[in-house]
Amino acid sequence: MYRTTTCGALRSNDIGSVVTLSGWVQKTRDKGFMIWVDLRDRYGITQLIFDEDRTPKEIMESAKNLGREYVIQVTGKVIERASKNPSIPTGDIEILVTELIVLNQAKTPPFTIENETDGGEDLRMKYRYLDIRRNPIKENLIFRHKVTLEVRKYLSYEGFIEVETPYLIKSTPEGARDFVVPSRMNAGQFYALPQSPQTFKQLLMVGGMDKYFQIVKCFRDEDLRADRQPEFTQIDCEMAFVEQEDVLNTFEGLTKHLLKEIKGVAVEKFPRMTYNEAMQRYGNDKPDIRFGMEFGELNDVAQHKNFNVFNNAELVVGIAVPGGNNYSRKEIDKLINWVKRPQIGALGMVYVRCNEDGSYKSSVDKFYNQEDLAKWAEKTGANTGDLICVLSGEKDKVRAQLSALRMELAERLGLRNPNVFAPLWVVDFPLLEWDEETQRYHAMHHPFTSPKPEQIPLLKTNPGAVKANAYDLVLNGNEIGGGSIRIHDKQTQAMMFDYLGFTPEEAKEQFGFLMNAFEYGAPPHGGIAFGLDRLVAILGGQETIRDFIAFPKNNSGRDVMIDAPAKIDQEQLKELHLSIEK
Amino acid sequence: MYRTTTCGALRSNDIGSVVTLSGWVQKTRDKGFMIWVDLRDRYGITQLIFDEDRTPKEIMESAKNLGREYVIQVTGKVIERASKNPSIPTGDIEILVTELIVLNQAKTPPFTIENETDGGEDLRMKYRYLDIRRNPIKENLIFRHKVTLEVRKYLSYEGFIEVETPYLIKSTPEGARDFVVPSRMNAGQFYALPQSPQTFKQLLMVGGMDKYFQIVKCFRDEDLRADRQPEFTQIDCEMAFVEQEDVLNTFEGLTKHLLKEIKGVAVEKFPRMTYNEAMQRYGNDKPDIRFGMEFGELNDVAQHKNFNVFNNAELVVGIAVPGGNNYSRKEIDKLINWVKRPQIGALGMVYVRCNEDGSYKSSVDKFYNQEDLAKWAEKTGANTGDLICVLSGEKDKVRAQLSALRMELAERLGLRNPNVFAPLWVVDFPLLEWDEETQRYHAMHHPFTSPKPEQIPLLKTNPGAVKANAYDLVLNGNEIGGGSIRIHDKQTQAMMFDYLGFTPEEAKEQFGFLMNAFEYGAPPHGGIAFGLDRLVAILGGQETIRDFIAFPKNNSGRDVMIDAPAKIDQEQLKELHLSIEK
C-alpha cells in the first residue's frame, strides 16, 4: 500500500494520526537543522517536516538529497503546524516524517511545475506529461470530465441513448478534407475517419433510435488555423419527430443545466435572433451580447452629403464606444491603423467625438453639420462622452470589419467578462452560401439540412435568400453548437444534391445508403452538435481550447511529444499496397 | 409538435384524453368496417382503431392504404380496449383516430421487423437501419448505453477522471498491425490509430493524473476471425501509487456494481486463481467456473500400464461428464469425432463409463482393470452415472483440446446459464510467451508490463517461468478485462525492450518519449482495460458481440451498409503523396 490518504485530505482533526502519503516533491526548504518539503499529488499539497531533534539521522540525510519532482513515499505523524498557511486546505497541519522511501528520482524538469510556469508553449507541448502536473492544466482536464459527465447524466435522464457510431467509414468529398485509412485487406481502397457522425445519426433516426447522443471524436484534415485541431470532440445529438422548437428547447435545457451545475449561474430563457438580424445588429452570426455597442446603419443619414466615400458605399455603419471621447488623437489614430491592418482590411475609419457639452466633433466635419452628426448619435445610441466609429464599403466586408472592431474595443473596455454568460440562439440561417472560388452555391450547414418548406420554390429564383431550419447556439461570441432540421425524403435530398452540383451517380455512390434508407420510412428528424473543446474552454472562462485537451497537436498537426506523424516501415507500406510519391 | 406522448406510455387511466402519436406502422388488420393498426416507436406499441361508425370516411380510406413501416402521425381519443392484451404495457387501451397524417411512405422492408426476423445476417447488415428497428437490437443498444453510463458514474464517484487521449498517434510495430493515416501536411509520414491508449495513460500517470479512465475506440488491423471487429471499444483505466491488490479491489468493485445495478445480481468476493492453476484445473486461462468438470491429471495412475498412447504422452488428463453414462455408443462415437475435427485436433479419446452398480467399462479395458479405473474416477471426481473422457498428448495442446470438449459438453448439458454470473480473477500470468514463428519470446500482455521484481534474475536463466504482475478478469469463460502493474523506471523498461528484440535505436525512436518521461519522476502505476463490446454482450446474456454494436463490420472488415472501404479520388491520393501499387 503506497498511501493511506492523499496530499489534499488532512485537516486539524487528523492531528495525532499516523499516515502514509505518496507524491512529488514540489519544493524543499533546508534550514540545516530543519527541512520542510511540500509534497504534491493530484489532490493537493501537504507539508512534510524533518527536524534534527525528532527525525532519525539517516532520514534527515535522505531528505537533504531530495530533488524537485522526486517521487517519494513517507510515513509520519500528523502534527499541528507552527505557522499555519490559510491559503491551502491542508495548511493547519504538517507531517513529522518517520519513514521516507524514494520511489523514483527525477531529472530537473525543463520548466517550473507552478501555476505560472517559465516554460514556453513549445517546451510545454514537448513535455506535456510535465505540463499536466501544473494545476491550471490538471484542473482544466478535471473540469472537462465534469462537463462531459453532466452532459451524459442530463441527456440520459431526458431519455437520450448514447450510441457509438463507426470511425472507419467512407470518404466523401463534400465539406472539409477527410483523413483516410488505407485498407490492407481491400487493395487500393480506403476508409475515412468521420468529420462528424452526421449520416449515421440520421440512419439511427431511420432506425427508430429516437433521441441519440454521443460524445465523439471527429477529424478534419484542414490547413490548421490557430486554435484548430485535426481531431476534435463533439457532443452529437439527434431526435426524431421533432420540429426546430423541440430541438431548441431540449438543448437550451442542457445548456442551462451545465451553466447551473458547473458554474452556478442561472440563466433565464435564451434570447433568439435571426441570422439576418444578427448580421445587421452585430455584423456577425455569433454575436457577443454580453455588452451593447450595437451597429447603427447610417446610409439614410450619411449618404448624399458630398462625402463620396460614403456615397459610393453599399453600407455605412457605426458603433458608439462608451466613454470613447476620452481617447487622445494618438489613440484614435492607433485605432484607425488597427482597422486598416490586412487582417481587418478597412480602408479607413470615420469617427465622431460626442463632447460633454452635447456638441460633436468629427473627422468629416467638412461634410456633416451638428444636426447630421446628432442623427448618427441617435442611430448608434451614442451618449455624451462616447466615440462613434464609422466604417463603410461593401456590406459583408464592412460588417465583418466593424464586428472585429467592436470585439476588440469590448476586450479593451473589459466588457468581455468571462464570468458572465450570455447564450443566444441564432436561427433562420441561409440554406446556401456563395463560394467565390468555385462560383457556385455550397450548403452553409451541410447538404442534409432542410430548406424551410415554403421557401423551396425560391431555390429557382433567388437561391441565396432561401432560409433553412438551421440554428446555432452562441455563447459569449462563440458558436458552441449548431444544427438543423434534416431532409427526410429522397426527392428533396436528391434535389439538394443536384443543386449542390452532385451528378446522380456521385450522389448515389456517396450517399446512396442514406437515400435508400429514406425510402423505408424515415421519420422527420433534426439535431445539433456542440463543439466540446470550445464549450469547455468557454465555460472555464477561457477562449483557447488547447489547454483543455490532454495531448493537443500543434499548428502543423504534429504531436511534438511523441513526434507524430512519422515514417512507417517499407513492409507496412507494401502490405497496404501503397508507395510514396517523391 | 409531432406527438404529445409516445407509443409506450398510455395506460387505462389515460382513457378519455386526446393524444397525438407518431411512429411506424407495425401491422394492420383490415376487417373492412374496422381497421386496427399497431403503431410502433422506440418506446412501445399502441393500437389504433378506425371504424366505419366513428371514423370520418376519408380517414378510413387513408387507413386502408397504410403499408408496413409507413411513418404516420395520428390524433385521437384514448378509449378502453374491447379485448385487452396483457402482453404489452399499453394493452388496456387503444386510440380512436380522428386525424391521420402520413409523414413518410415506406417500401416493403427486405425482412420482417419482428423479434424473430426472416432476414439473414448479410441482409440485416446491409439494411442495418431497419435491423435496429427490431426490439432485440434496439434493446441491446439501449442496454449498452446503460452499462457505459453506470461505468462512468461509478468510476467518477470513485474519483476517476475521464481523459480523452489522441486518435492520431504513431505507429509501433509491436503487437498487432496498426491502421495508419497518411499525413497530407507531412509528406511521406503517417499517423497510426491507437490499438489502445496504453502509452498515453501511462504518461497521464507520470503527469500526476492519478485515477484515469476512458471509454474509447481502439483499432487493430488483424485478419478477422469470427466475432472480431477492426474497431472495438475499451474501458481503459489506470491508477498511480497502486499495487496489484489495489487495482483488483477497485475493479472488482466496478464489476460488482454493474452486476448489481444492471442485472440485479449480488456477487460475493471474486475468487482468484493463478494462471498455472487455471491451466491445470481447466486447461484454459479464462475458465468458465459456472460449472465443475475440472481436469483430473492421470499421468500417475494411467502411465506405465502397457498402453503406449498414454505412456508416450506428456499429459494424460480427463474430465467427468455428469450423467454421461447415458450416452449411447453412437453418441460417444460422435463425441470422439468431434474432438478429432481439425479445429480441435485430438488424435482420439479414451472414455470410461461409470456404471450404476459401481463398475467401470472403458474403451481401454485391455490395459486397465477396475482398480485402475477407480483411481481415474477419483482423480476426475466422477460419480456413478458419469462418463470420463480422457485425452493425452503434448501438455499445451491436450489442455486446449480438453478445455474445448469441456465447454462443448457444458453447453450441451445446459450448464452455461446466461443468467448465472461467475467472475474470476486469474493472476500471475507469465511475462513472456514463446513464439514458434519468430523463434523468440514476446510480451504476453505488452512490453510495459512489470515482471515480478523478485523474479527479474530468472529472465536470464528461465525466461518462460518469469511471472508478471498481470491479471485478467474472467466472466463466464470470457476474458472481459486484463491489466498489469507497469514498469515505471527507464532501466527496467530498456531491459525489457532489449529482451524483446528492440535495438536501443528502435526503442528510442518508438518509445523514447515514454522512457524520457520515466526520468522525470514516474510514479508506480498499473491499470486494466475491459473489452466493452464483450462485457456488454455477456452481461446481456449473449456471446456474440455484433448485435451489441450499432454498425458492425463483417468478417472482411467491410461495412456493407455504406460500402466501405472504397476507392478515393486520384486528387486525394496526390494530395497525400501516395500512389497505389498494382
Side-chain angles (χ1 to χ4, degrees), chain B residues 340-373:
Chain B
K340 285 164 84 175
R341 293 181 317 148
Q343 299 95 312
I344 309 295
L347 294 174
M349 184 182 94
V350 165
Y351 65 88
V352 184
R353 291 179 176 281
C354 305
N355 296 322
E356 293 299 331
D357 63 4
S359 70
Y360 301 100
K361 177 82 190 77
S362 84
S363 57
V364 285
D365 279 353
K366 219 184 331 177
F367 304 102
Y368 300 95
N369 59 28
Q370 291 290 309
E371 204 179 322
D372 294 330
L373 297 176

Short mmCIF file of all heavy atoms in Angstrom, two decimals, chain B residues 340-373:
data_model
loop_
_atom_site.label_atom_id
_atom_site.label_comp_id
_atom_site.label_asym_id
_atom_site.label_seq_id
_atom_site.Cartn_x
_atom_site.Cartn_y
_atom_site.Cartn_z
N LYS B 340 -11.84 -35.02 -32.74
CA LYS B 340 -10.85 -35.28 -33.80
C LYS B 340 -10.95 -34.30 -34.97
O LYS B 340 -10.11 -34.32 -35.87
CB LYS B 340 -11.03 -36.73 -34.31
CG LYS B 340 -10.50 -37.76 -33.31
CD LYS B 340 -10.99 -39.16 -33.61
CE LYS B 340 -10.14 -39.84 -34.66
NZ LYS B 340 -10.57 -41.28 -34.83
N ARG B 341 -11.99 -33.43 -34.94
CA ARG B 341 -12.09 -32.44 -36.02
C ARG B 341 -10.83 -31.56 -36.01
O ARG B 341 -10.24 -31.33 -34.96
CB ARG B 341 -13.31 -31.53 -35.79
CG ARG B 341 -14.64 -32.23 -35.90
CD ARG B 341 -15.77 -31.23 -35.67
NE ARG B 341 -15.46 -30.35 -34.54
CZ ARG B 341 -15.85 -29.09 -34.43
NH1 ARG B 341 -16.58 -28.54 -35.39
NH2 ARG B 341 -15.53 -28.37 -33.37
N PRO B 342 -10.45 -31.07 -37.21
CA PRO B 342 -9.21 -30.28 -37.27
C PRO B 342 -9.22 -29.07 -36.32
O PRO B 342 -8.17 -28.69 -35.80
CB PRO B 342 -9.14 -29.82 -38.73
CG PRO B 342 -10.20 -30.54 -39.47
CD PRO B 342 -11.11 -31.22 -38.51
N GLN B 343 -10.42 -28.48 -36.11
CA GLN B 343 -10.47 -27.32 -35.22
C GLN B 343 -10.04 -27.67 -33.79
O GLN B 343 -9.57 -26.81 -33.05
CB GLN B 343 -11.89 -26.74 -35.12
CG GLN B 343 -12.45 -26.23 -36.44
CD GLN B 343 -13.30 -27.27 -37.15
OE1 GLN B 343 -12.87 -28.43 -37.28
NE2 GLN B 343 -14.46 -26.88 -37.63
N ILE B 344 -10.26 -28.94 -33.38
CA ILE B 344 -9.85 -29.36 -32.03
C ILE B 344 -8.51 -30.09 -32.13
O ILE B 344 -7.58 -29.77 -31.42
CB ILE B 344 -10.92 -30.27 -31.38
CG1 ILE B 344 -12.31 -29.60 -31.46
CG2 ILE B 344 -10.55 -30.61 -29.94
CD1 ILE B 344 -12.45 -28.32 -30.68
N GLY B 345 -8.45 -31.09 -32.98
CA GLY B 345 -7.16 -31.68 -33.30
C GLY B 345 -6.69 -32.82 -32.41
O GLY B 345 -5.52 -33.18 -32.44
N ALA B 346 -7.59 -33.41 -31.60
CA ALA B 346 -7.17 -34.57 -30.80
C ALA B 346 -7.02 -35.79 -31.72
O ALA B 346 -7.67 -35.89 -32.76
CB ALA B 346 -8.19 -34.85 -29.70
N LEU B 347 -6.13 -36.70 -31.32
CA LEU B 347 -5.94 -37.90 -32.14
C LEU B 347 -6.97 -38.97 -31.81
O LEU B 347 -7.25 -39.86 -32.60
CB LEU B 347 -4.53 -38.44 -31.95
CG LEU B 347 -3.44 -37.49 -32.48
CD1 LEU B 347 -2.06 -38.01 -32.12
CD2 LEU B 347 -3.58 -37.31 -33.99
N GLY B 348 -7.52 -38.88 -30.63
CA GLY B 348 -8.55 -39.84 -30.22
C GLY B 348 -9.01 -39.49 -28.82
O GLY B 348 -8.58 -38.48 -28.26
N MET B 349 -9.92 -40.32 -28.31
CA MET B 349 -10.38 -40.06 -26.95
C MET B 349 -10.65 -41.40 -26.27
O MET B 349 -11.25 -42.30 -26.86
CB MET B 349 -11.67 -39.23 -26.99
CG MET B 349 -12.18 -38.83 -25.61
SD MET B 349 -13.74 -37.90 -25.70
CE MET B 349 -14.94 -39.21 -25.50
N VAL B 350 -10.16 -41.52 -25.07
CA VAL B 350 -10.45 -42.71 -24.26
C VAL B 350 -11.61 -42.35 -23.34
O VAL B 350 -11.70 -41.22 -22.88
CB VAL B 350 -9.18 -43.09 -23.45
CG1 VAL B 350 -9.52 -44.06 -22.34
CG2 VAL B 350 -8.11 -43.65 -24.39
N TYR B 351 -12.53 -43.30 -23.14
CA TYR B 351 -13.62 -42.98 -22.22
C TYR B 351 -13.85 -44.12 -21.24
O TYR B 351 -13.47 -45.28 -21.49
CB TYR B 351 -14.90 -42.68 -23.00
CG TYR B 351 -15.46 -43.86 -23.77
CD1 TYR B 351 -16.35 -44.76 -23.17
CD2 TYR B 351 -15.09 -44.08 -25.10
CE1 TYR B 351 -16.84 -45.84 -23.86
CE2 TYR B 351 -15.58 -45.16 -25.80
CZ TYR B 351 -16.47 -46.04 -25.19
OH TYR B 351 -16.94 -47.12 -25.87
N VAL B 352 -14.45 -43.74 -20.14
CA VAL B 352 -14.79 -44.72 -19.11
C VAL B 352 -16.25 -44.47 -18.69
O VAL B 352 -16.59 -43.36 -18.28
CB VAL B 352 -13.89 -44.57 -17.85
CG1 VAL B 352 -14.21 -45.66 -16.84
CG2 VAL B 352 -12.42 -44.56 -18.22
N ARG B 353 -17.07 -45.52 -18.81
CA ARG B 353 -18.43 -45.43 -18.30
C ARG B 353 -18.43 -45.78 -16.82
O ARG B 353 -17.85 -46.80 -16.42
CB ARG B 353 -19.33 -46.43 -19.01
CG ARG B 353 -19.61 -46.13 -20.47
CD ARG B 353 -20.49 -47.23 -21.05
NE ARG B 353 -20.89 -46.95 -22.44
CZ ARG B 353 -21.86 -46.12 -22.78
NH1 ARG B 353 -22.54 -45.48 -21.84
NH2 ARG B 353 -22.16 -45.93 -24.05
N CYS B 354 -19.06 -44.94 -16.00
CA CYS B 354 -19.18 -45.24 -14.57
C CYS B 354 -20.58 -45.79 -14.35
O CYS B 354 -21.55 -45.03 -14.26
CB CYS B 354 -18.96 -43.98 -13.74
SG CYS B 354 -17.40 -43.16 -14.10
N ASN B 355 -20.66 -47.10 -14.29
CA ASN B 355 -21.97 -47.74 -14.23
C ASN B 355 -22.64 -47.53 -12.88
O ASN B 355 -21.97 -47.27 -11.87
CB ASN B 355 -21.81 -49.24 -14.51
CG ASN B 355 -21.32 -49.46 -15.93
OD1 ASN B 355 -21.72 -48.75 -16.86
ND2 ASN B 355 -20.42 -50.44 -16.09
N GLU B 356 -23.98 -47.71 -12.90
CA GLU B 356 -24.76 -47.51 -11.67
C GLU B 356 -24.35 -48.50 -10.58
O GLU B 356 -24.42 -48.19 -9.40
CB GLU B 356 -26.27 -47.67 -11.96
CG GLU B 356 -26.86 -46.57 -12.86
CD GLU B 356 -26.74 -45.17 -12.26
OE1 GLU B 356 -26.73 -45.03 -11.02
OE2 GLU B 356 -26.64 -44.20 -13.06
N ASP B 357 -23.89 -49.66 -10.97
CA ASP B 357 -23.52 -50.68 -9.98
C ASP B 357 -22.11 -50.47 -9.42
O ASP B 357 -21.58 -51.32 -8.71
CB ASP B 357 -23.65 -52.08 -10.60
CG ASP B 357 -22.68 -52.25 -11.77
OD1 ASP B 357 -21.87 -51.31 -12.03
OD2 ASP B 357 -22.73 -53.31 -12.43
N GLY B 358 -21.47 -49.34 -9.80
CA GLY B 358 -20.14 -49.07 -9.26
C GLY B 358 -19.01 -49.64 -10.11
O GLY B 358 -17.84 -49.39 -9.84
N SER B 359 -19.36 -50.39 -11.14
CA SER B 359 -18.31 -50.94 -12.02
C SER B 359 -17.98 -49.93 -13.11
O SER B 359 -18.69 -48.96 -13.32
CB SER B 359 -18.80 -52.25 -12.63
OG SER B 359 -19.82 -51.97 -13.58
N TYR B 360 -16.89 -50.17 -13.78
CA TYR B 360 -16.44 -49.29 -14.86
C TYR B 360 -16.34 -50.06 -16.15
O TYR B 360 -16.03 -51.25 -16.16
CB TYR B 360 -15.06 -48.69 -14.53
CG TYR B 360 -15.08 -47.90 -13.24
CD1 TYR B 360 -14.61 -48.45 -12.06
CD2 TYR B 360 -15.59 -46.60 -13.21
CE1 TYR B 360 -14.64 -47.74 -10.87
CE2 TYR B 360 -15.62 -45.88 -12.04
CZ TYR B 360 -15.14 -46.45 -10.87
OH TYR B 360 -15.19 -45.75 -9.70
N LYS B 361 -16.60 -49.41 -17.26
CA LYS B 361 -16.44 -50.02 -18.58
C LYS B 361 -15.74 -48.98 -19.43
O LYS B 361 -16.28 -47.90 -19.66
CB LYS B 361 -17.84 -50.35 -19.14
CG LYS B 361 -17.80 -50.93 -20.55
CD LYS B 361 -17.50 -52.44 -20.52
CE LYS B 361 -17.20 -53.01 -21.91
NZ LYS B 361 -15.85 -52.68 -22.37
N SER B 362 -14.53 -49.32 -19.87
CA SER B 362 -13.76 -48.32 -20.61
C SER B 362 -13.42 -48.80 -22.00
O SER B 362 -13.57 -49.98 -22.33
CB SER B 362 -12.48 -47.99 -19.85
OG SER B 362 -11.47 -48.93 -20.16
N SER B 363 -12.94 -47.86 -22.80
CA SER B 363 -12.50 -48.22 -24.15
C SER B 363 -11.09 -48.79 -24.15
O SER B 363 -10.56 -49.13 -25.18
CB SER B 363 -12.58 -46.98 -25.06
OG SER B 363 -11.78 -45.93 -24.52
N VAL B 364 -10.50 -48.86 -22.93
CA VAL B 364 -9.14 -49.40 -22.83
C VAL B 364 -9.07 -50.49 -21.76
O VAL B 364 -8.09 -50.60 -21.03
CB VAL B 364 -8.12 -48.27 -22.53
CG1 VAL B 364 -7.87 -47.45 -23.78
CG2 VAL B 364 -8.61 -47.38 -21.39
N ASP B 365 -10.13 -51.30 -21.70
CA ASP B 365 -10.20 -52.37 -20.69
C ASP B 365 -9.05 -53.37 -20.84
O ASP B 365 -8.68 -54.05 -19.88
CB ASP B 365 -11.55 -53.09 -20.78
CG ASP B 365 -12.65 -52.31 -20.05
OD1 ASP B 365 -12.32 -51.31 -19.39
OD2 ASP B 365 -13.84 -52.68 -20.15
N LYS B 366 -8.52 -53.43 -22.04
CA LYS B 366 -7.40 -54.33 -22.29
C LYS B 366 -6.20 -54.00 -21.40
O LYS B 366 -5.41 -54.86 -21.05
CB LYS B 366 -6.99 -54.20 -23.77
CG LYS B 366 -6.62 -55.50 -24.40
CD LYS B 366 -6.11 -55.42 -25.84
CE LYS B 366 -6.62 -54.29 -26.71
NZ LYS B 366 -5.97 -54.33 -28.04
N PHE B 367 -6.07 -52.68 -21.07
CA PHE B 367 -4.87 -52.24 -20.37
C PHE B 367 -5.12 -51.91 -18.90
O PHE B 367 -4.19 -51.85 -18.12
CB PHE B 367 -4.28 -51.00 -21.06
CG PHE B 367 -3.98 -51.22 -22.52
CD1 PHE B 367 -4.83 -50.72 -23.50
CD2 PHE B 367 -2.84 -51.93 -22.90
CE1 PHE B 367 -4.55 -50.92 -24.84
CE2 PHE B 367 -2.57 -52.14 -24.25
CZ PHE B 367 -3.43 -51.63 -25.23
N TYR B 368 -6.37 -51.65 -18.57
CA TYR B 368 -6.64 -51.15 -17.21
C TYR B 368 -7.73 -51.98 -16.54
O TYR B 368 -8.75 -52.29 -17.17
CB TYR B 368 -7.06 -49.68 -17.25
CG TYR B 368 -5.98 -48.81 -17.86
CD1 TYR B 368 -6.01 -48.48 -19.20
CD2 TYR B 368 -4.92 -48.34 -17.06
CE1 TYR B 368 -5.02 -47.70 -19.77
CE2 TYR B 368 -3.92 -47.55 -17.63
CZ TYR B 368 -3.97 -47.23 -18.98
OH TYR B 368 -2.98 -46.48 -19.52
N ASN B 369 -7.50 -52.30 -15.26
CA ASN B 369 -8.52 -53.05 -14.52
C ASN B 369 -9.41 -52.09 -13.73
O ASN B 369 -9.22 -50.88 -13.74
CB ASN B 369 -7.85 -54.09 -13.60
CG ASN B 369 -6.91 -53.42 -12.60
OD1 ASN B 369 -7.11 -52.25 -12.22
ND2 ASN B 369 -5.87 -54.14 -12.18
N GLN B 370 -10.38 -52.69 -13.02
CA GLN B 370 -11.37 -51.88 -12.29
C GLN B 370 -10.69 -50.97 -11.27
O GLN B 370 -11.09 -49.82 -11.08
CB GLN B 370 -12.38 -52.81 -11.59
CG GLN B 370 -13.29 -53.53 -12.56
CD GLN B 370 -14.30 -52.59 -13.23
OE1 GLN B 370 -14.98 -51.84 -12.56
NE2 GLN B 370 -14.38 -52.65 -14.55
N GLU B 371 -9.66 -51.48 -10.65
CA GLU B 371 -8.96 -50.70 -9.62
C GLU B 371 -8.29 -49.48 -10.25
O GLU B 371 -8.34 -48.37 -9.70
CB GLU B 371 -7.90 -51.61 -8.98
CG GLU B 371 -7.49 -51.20 -7.59
CD GLU B 371 -6.46 -52.21 -7.05
OE1 GLU B 371 -6.62 -53.43 -7.34
OE2 GLU B 371 -5.49 -51.78 -6.40
N ASP B 372 -7.66 -49.70 -11.40
CA ASP B 372 -7.05 -48.57 -12.13
C ASP B 372 -8.09 -47.51 -12.43
O ASP B 372 -7.90 -46.32 -12.18
CB ASP B 372 -6.45 -49.03 -13.47
CG ASP B 372 -5.27 -49.98 -13.30
OD1 ASP B 372 -4.55 -49.86 -12.28
OD2 ASP B 372 -5.07 -50.83 -14.20
N LEU B 373 -9.21 -47.99 -12.98
CA LEU B 373 -10.24 -47.04 -13.43
C LEU B 373 -10.88 -46.30 -12.26
O LEU B 373 -11.27 -45.14 -12.38
CB LEU B 373 -11.30 -47.77 -14.26
CG LEU B 373 -10.76 -48.39 -15.56
CD1 LEU B 373 -11.87 -49.18 -16.28
CD2 LEU B 373 -10.18 -47.35 -16.51
#
